[in-house]
Amino acid sequence: MSATYDYKKMIVDSDCDPSLTLSIGGALELMSDCEHLQIASDEFIDDYFKKNNYAWFLSARSIEVVKMPKFLDEVLVKTALYEINTITGNRSTFIYDKSGNVLVKSNSFGVLVDLKTGKAIRRDAFLNYKLADNLGFNALPRKVEYETQAAVKVDSVVMPSYFLDHYNHVNNANYVRLASEYIDWNFAKGILRAEYKSAAASGDLVEIFKHEQKDRVIIDLRNVDGGSYCIIEFKK
């Protein structure tokens, strides 16, 4: 049983944007992979989830990008599960360079879900679970607040099947990857917050709304009824 997990990784072409810098979508995938590896490597959590058909679904993620690594850079990705209560959990996940300097900080907030019903549940199974220490980044406010009526529709897309994860929902990193197409700069430094509200599936039409302010851009990925799948804030 271990509430931490880390692995070394060399940044390769498929992780990068055209400038051969790790993309924000690539960074999210690295951190998400590390988080899932921690769950898979922890016998207690893995067995508990499989036995009961449970999972943690991400509800919010906050990220601070200090500096993105580049092609062929060696990095260490590390995650620490530091808080669990009866329904939710918090973990910090960092990307470091080979000298130990922090490149990307993340805090993710998840909800325990019964996969059969799709509903959040309360369980006391983790009362005696030995948690790790926070790596040093506290969660930013989970709710991304903005004037929804001021947002402008800029595009609509149909979610492709290759955006899905093994739950048949759009992978969390792919919401951010899609949203990053609608900002006017290469997001290689700054603050990002993603509020995950409902799960999109293959074939769903997503209407993309954008709201710009002086120091931030909000991308709201909405369904055809006006509800949000995911709201992402990019802040320089």
Side-chain angles (χ1 to χ4, degrees):
M1 180 187 298
S2 176
T4 64
Y5 190 91
D6 60 66
Y7 74 100
K8 292 181 180 179
K9 158 81 175 175
M10 178 177 285
I11 304 301
V12 296
D13 268 0
S14 59
D15 302 315
C16 294
D17 62 23
S19 70
L20 290 179
T21 301
L22 179 66
S23 68
I24 185 59
L28 270 152
E29 283 192 345
L30 292 186
M31 294 186 290
S32 180
D33 286 347
C34 188
E35 292 160 4
H36 284 101
L37 286 168
Q38 185 273 322
I39 292 172
S41 67
D42 188 304
E43 188 174 325
F44 171 77
I45 297 180
D46 192 49
D47 287 351
Y48 178 69
F49 281 5
K50 287 177 179 176
K51 179 180 177 181
N52 294 283
N53 201 28
Y54 294 162
W56 264 313
F57 279 4
L58 201 62
S59 177
R61 186 187 288 275
S62 45
I63 295 173
E64 179 183 352
V65 180
V66 179
K67 181 182 179 181
M68 284 294 196
K70 292 185 176 293
F71 177 59
L72 297 183
D73 284 351
E74 295 178 358
V75 299
L76 175 72
V77 189
K78 184 179 184 69
T79 192
L81 184 55
Y82 69 86
E83 181 182 64
I84 304 177
N85 58 37
T86 58
I87 195 169
T88 63
N90 263 297
R91 67 166 71 241
S92 52
T93 306
F94 281 22
I95 301 175
Y96 304 87
D97 68 16
K98 63 181 181 181
S99 299
N101 300 306
V102 177
L103 300 176
V104 183
K105 307 175 186 179
S106 169
N107 194 292
S108 56
F109 175 81
V111 178
L112 187 62
V113 171
D114 184 327
L115 293 174
K116 184 177 180 179
T117 65
K119 295 181 178 180
I121 54 173
R122 293 185 180 274
R123 290 292 184 271
D124 293 325
F126 296 96
L127 288 177
N128 298 316
Y129 184 84
K130 185 173 175 56
L131 295 165
D133 293 329
N134 188 333
L135 296 176
F137 184 57
N138 293 320
L140 301 174
R142 295 194 296 269
K143 188 171 181 59
V144 179
E145 306 254 10
Y146 81 103
E147 295 180 22
T148 57
Q149 299 302 317
V152 176
K153 183 178 176 180
V154 294
D155 204 355
S156 60
V157 298
V158 175
M159 285 297 191
S161 60
Y162 56 79
F163 265 19
L164 304 186
D165 58 22
H166 66 287
Y167 298 117
N168 282 319
H169 297 156
V170 172
N171 180 277
N172 293 317
N174 284 332
Y175 290 107
V176 174
R177 180 175 278 112
L178 175 60
S180 68
E181 291 292 308
Y182 299 92
I183 61 174
D184 297 329
W185 75 94
N186 182 20
F187 188 81
K189 185 177 181 179
I191 298 291
L192 181 147
R193 291 190 297 145
E195 180 186 1
Y196 299 98
K197 298 176 73 69
S198 64
S202 175
D204 284 344
L205 180 67
V206 178
E207 297 185 332
I208 301 165
F209 285 78
K210 181 177 181 178
H211 180 59
E212 294 188 75
Q213 294 180 318
K214 182 178 180 180
D215 61 344
R216 68 175 187 155
V217 175
I218 307 296
I219 304 296
D220 191 346
L221 306 177
R222 301 181 188 175
N223 61 37
V224 293
D225 297 320
S228 296
Y229 290 117
C230 184
I231 306 174
I232 301 107
E233 174 192 67
F234 299 90
K235 190 173 182 179
K236 293 183 180 180

